[in-house]
Structure formats: structure tokens, C-alpha cells
Amino acid sequence: MSFKVLICDDSSLARKLAKRSLPEGFAAEVYQASNGAEAISVIDEHGIEVMLLDLTMPVLDGVGVLEELRRRMLDVFVVVVSGDIQPLMRDRVMQLGALDFIPKPINAGQLQPILRKFGLY
């Protein structure tokens, strides 16, 4: 099983690390966005199924993306990958529908168990 995956982070290095963390054969296609507004456009255009989402970005932040997904009732599996690891922020993104929260920098050892837990890998 493979998915259309969107990596949304304003850091190109963080996007590169996130892409490397995807399990072999997991992603049929990988799209990238540098802010939340771009992410919403990519989701609309390509029907994204799984997203790795940063929280702190220009234009539209990760919380804004989660709120927009919820408002539009879009079914995207979101894993937040962020340096903002405050418990209150973690709770907020989980309430908005994120599957899990990974502190930066991401690696494959962190992502694969989450994908397995939700039956995605």
C-alpha cells in the first residue's frame, strides 16, 4: 500500500530529512509545501492522504492547516513534526485531529511505529 504524501515545512532541510524518514515504498508520490497555504492548495489539487506538518511557518501555520482540514472535513492523516514541543501545543494539535507529534529532527525510527500504529504501514 502506498500513499500520496505531503511534507509541509518552511525549512528545505527539514523537508529533506522528513522525506528520508519515509519507509521504503510507503509513498507513491511525495509533494512538498513551504507554508500552510501552499499545503492546502496541494491537498486540493492532489488528494493527499498523509501529511507531515510543521507548526511554525509563514503565511499559514500548522495549527491553521489543521483547523482548515477540520473545517472542510478533509480526511488527511496528519503527523505533526515540530520543534514546538510544549505540552499545551501537543494537546491542541491532537484535539484538532493530528495522529501524533514528533519532535524535530525527524528520523525513520520515530515515524515507522506511528504509521504502523494507525495501520498505514
Side-chain angles (χ1 to χ4, degrees):
M1 185 183 329
S2 59
F3 299 91
K4 290 183 181 179
V5 177
L6 173 58
I7 299 169
C8 182
D9 196 303
D10 59 326
S11 162
S12 60
L13 176 60
R15 290 193 306 269
K16 184 185 278 187
L17 290 173
K19 186 173 182 180
R20 281 194 211 141
S21 76
L22 295 170
E24 184 74 32
F26 177 76
E29 298 171 69
V30 178
Y31 300 90
Q32 297 186 24
S34 61
N35 64 62
E38 283 180 19
I40 296 298
S41 293
V42 172
I43 290 166
D44 287 343
E45 187 174 336
H46 298 286
I48 298 301
E49 298 157 309
V50 177
M51 179 168 40
L52 303 180
L53 177 66
D54 185 26
L55 292 179
T56 308
M57 298 177 291
V59 186
L60 181 64
D61 66 9
V63 170
V65 171
L66 288 167
E67 289 171 343
E68 183 66 9
L69 293 175
R70 176 175 266 193
R71 186 185 70 75
R72 295 161 111 201
M73 295 185 280
L74 295 174
D75 194 18
V76 179
F77 293 101
V78 179
V79 176
V80 171
V81 182
S82 181
D84 185 352
I85 55 172
Q86 301 170 54
L88 286 175
M89 182 55 73
R90 186 183 194 289
D91 291 346
R92 184 164 183 214
V93 300
M94 299 300 281
Q95 289 170 350
L96 287 170
L99 295 180
D100 214 325
F101 190 105
I102 298 173
K104 280 183 177 180
I106 187 174
N107 66 57
Q110 295 167 295
L111 185 58
Q112 288 181 19
I114 293 168
L115 298 174
R116 279 194 189 97
K117 176 180 172 181
F118 291 97
L120 300 172
Y121 180 69

